[in-house]
Amino acid sequence: MYSIRNITDDILYVGAEDLKQTSFEGHYTTPDGMAYNSYLLRDEKTVLFDTADRAVAEIFLANVDKALDGRALDYVVVHHMEPDHSATLDAVLTRYPDAGILCSAQAAKMIANFTGSDYTARIRTVKEGDTLEAGRHTLRFIAAPMIHWPEVMMTYDAFDRVLFSADAFGTFGSRGGALFDDETDFDARLDEAARYYLNIVGKYGVQVQNVLKKAAALDVALICPLHGFVLRSRIADAIAKYDVWSSYKPEIDGVCVIYASVYGHTAAAAHALANALRKRGVATDVLDVTNADKSYALAKAFRYSHSCFAATTYNAGVFVAMEELLADLKAHGFKNRKYALMENGSWAPMSGKLMDASLAAMPGMTKVGDTVTMLSAPNTQTLDAIEKLADALSESVGG
């Protein structure tokens, strides 16, 4: 069984989707599965751009065989050595023993480490600006280190004006049978594209900005990422989003209320704040970090100009789920945002002070309003404090 599709006259999609994949990298929830993209160029030379995850090996290999239609495979371009794109590289190289490998110098070392095989004689390392003449298609290689591993590169096909972008411009989730961005509700998919970028690549904003400058110099009609949809109608929109995300600018002027609650009292206060903000016309989102993948909360915190963190005190510290989120935000380079705090503690509330210390240590962070403190459960005084905090946040967002 095979499933291939033309992207251009000479470039075919040979990747596959895994609808059973419920987590990515063993960490990020993927309730809609994942797409593992691979592409084949058929010119005077045949070129396979990346392989696929082991989970889709059978259909991927069948797709490559069908797309080659009896021809030999001349080259495999390895843009990124993470196993979701290289786990079937050994199988491809065994099946097509005359195929050469084009990759960065660092990827060459990783191929040996991952496969345990000596492919030295078949590897040609390429660097920024190197080219391959495949016939009427000239392929130019672009260094893209730390997007999101150090060996990453991209390829630009000048004939069809295609940018093979590695992990850049990807998204979580399967494609639901669609291949191109204009075959789906692109705007509805933006949340998953943001969650993918901000968690997987988000720490490396400087490197992404460097690659965006390189992409701006190219005439691009199609972007072919390793996950998600091929971009052809919304390229400018996707690049604009990446520019905002990678420059650490807030995308949404509003407040994301993120809470970690044990018995529901902190949750009630968080929702009360969200309601108060909405009554003031402030764009607001609410997330429970204890019952959802933290990647959702991290992405929202990056996208919003303001966040309010609400957490129970636990063992004289911050409740575990919130403590983990704050550590994750720090690890991803969270900065240049405004924040507010709500704490709870039945006899010795400490979470507010500890969260404040953690957030204040991140670059460019500004606290808004006074910390709202609860003793066990919200009461009339708590609600009054929440209203005052809502006023302060509303003024800050408006400003």
Side-chain angles (χ1 to χ4, degrees):
M1 181 64 187
Y2 62 87
S3 178
I4 62 177
R5 185 173 173 187
N6 278 78
I7 292 173
T8 69
D9 289 343
D10 299 333
I11 299 172
L12 293 89
Y13 178 83
V14 294
E17 297 185 275
D18 181 10
L19 299 180
K20 296 180 180 179
Q21 179 72 281
T22 58
S23 68
F24 181 72
E25 293 185 348
H27 181 59
Y28 304 106
T29 300
T30 53
D32 298 321
M34 283 297 293
Y36 300 102
N37 298 342
S38 176
Y39 310 91
L40 181 75
L41 169 65
R42 295 190 306 200
D43 199 343
E44 292 174 21
K45 299 292 186 182
T46 58
V47 183
L48 178 66
F49 298 96
D50 298 292
T51 61
D53 190 84
R54 186 173 286 108
V56 296
E58 183 176 356
I59 189 169
F60 162 69
L61 293 170
N63 287 347
V64 174
D65 284 345
K66 179 62 180 178
L68 285 168
D69 195 24
R71 295 183 60 181
L73 179 62
D74 294 305
Y75 295 102
V76 180
V77 174
V78 177
H79 290 117
H80 182 24
M81 269 303 296
E82 194 168 6
D84 55 327
H85 309 299
S86 70
T88 48
L89 179 61
D90 238 351
V92 168
L93 295 174
T94 300
R95 187 172 293 207
Y96 305 102
D98 296 324
I101 305 167
L102 300 170
C103 65
S104 67
Q106 284 185 294
K109 298 175 184 177
M110 292 184 182
I111 289 172
N113 292 339
F114 271 113
T115 67
S117 301
D118 184 4
Y119 290 116
T120 305
R122 298 170 68 173
I123 292 176
R124 170 187 156 190
T125 59
V126 294
K127 60 184 183 303
E128 178 83 28
D130 284 353
T131 60
L132 172 71
E133 299 292 338
R136 59 181 181 169
H137 294 259
T138 298
L139 305 177
R140 178 153 62 92
F141 303 106
I142 301 166
M146 298 318 301
I147 307 184
H148 61 120
W149 281 15
E151 88 295 359
V152 174
M153 67 178 191
M154 300 179 181
T155 300
Y156 177 64
D157 168 28
F159 183 82
D160 279 327
R161 298 183 296 144
V162 178
L163 179 64
F164 297 94
S165 63
D167 265 349
F169 304 108
T171 183
F172 285 130
S174 63
R175 297 185 313 276
L179 178 58
F180 295 98
D181 56 2
D182 49 21
E183 296 175 336
T184 187
D185 186 342
F186 181 81
D187 293 314
R189 299 275 187 157
L190 275 176
D191 280 351
E192 283 297 78
R195 185 168 71 97
Y196 172 87
Y197 169 81
L198 291 165
N199 283 276
I200 302 298
V201 190
K203 181 178 180 179
Y204 303 107
V206 172
Q207 290 84 350
V208 173
Q209 284 285 309
N210 290 337
V211 170
L212 288 177
K213 291 175 185 175
K214 295 178 184 180
L218 303 173
D219 180 14
V220 178
L222 293 162
I223 295 179
C224 292
L226 288 175
H227 297 291
F229 300 90
V230 174
L231 301 174
R232 64 181 178 187
S233 298
R234 303 293 295 273
I235 290 174
D237 293 332
I239 290 175
K241 290 294 185 185
Y242 262 57
D243 184 41
V244 170
W245 298 336
S246 61
S247 58
Y248 299 96
K249 299 173 184 174
E251 181 185 356
I252 303 166
D253 288 326
V255 182
C256 181
V257 182
I258 303 170
Y259 68 86
S261 185
V262 179
Y263 294 110
H265 301 113
T266 305
H271 283 281
L273 175 63
N275 288 336
L277 289 167
R278 291 188 182 110
K279 285 191 293 184
R280 289 161 172 78
V282 178
T284 309
D285 211 336
V286 187
L287 291 97
D288 176 4
V289 77
T290 60
N291 290 310
D293 184 333
K294 289 187 293 299
S295 65
Y296 291 94
L298 183 143
K300 290 290 186 182
F302 266 96
R303 297 179 76 187
Y304 273 82
S305 61
H306 295 63
S307 293
C308 179
F309 299 92
T312 303
T313 300
Y314 193 75
N315 287 336
V318 181
F319 188 51
V320 179
M322 182 63 75
E323 186 176 47
E324 290 175 348
L325 173 63
L326 294 175
D328 221 9
L329 285 168
K330 179 181 178 182
H332 281 75
F334 191 58
K335 60 185 177 181
N336 301 335
R337 295 294 188 275
K338 296 181 179 179
Y339 68 94
L341 297 170
M342 303 174 73
E343 66 175 352
N344 197 349
S346 293
W347 60 91
M350 289 291 295
S351 55
K353 178 180 178 181
L354 295 170
M355 288 190 293
D356 197 8
S358 178
L359 289 159
M362 300 178 196
M365 300 295 289
T366 303
K367 186 181 179 186
V368 176
D370 296 325
T371 299
V372 174
T373 298
M374 289 162 277
L375 293 174
S376 301
N379 54 27
T380 303
Q381 288 74 28
T382 308
L383 293 175
D384 288 342
I386 287 172
E387 290 292 329
K388 290 179 181 177
L389 181 57
D391 283 337
L393 285 167
S394 178
E395 181 179 355
S396 180
V397 171

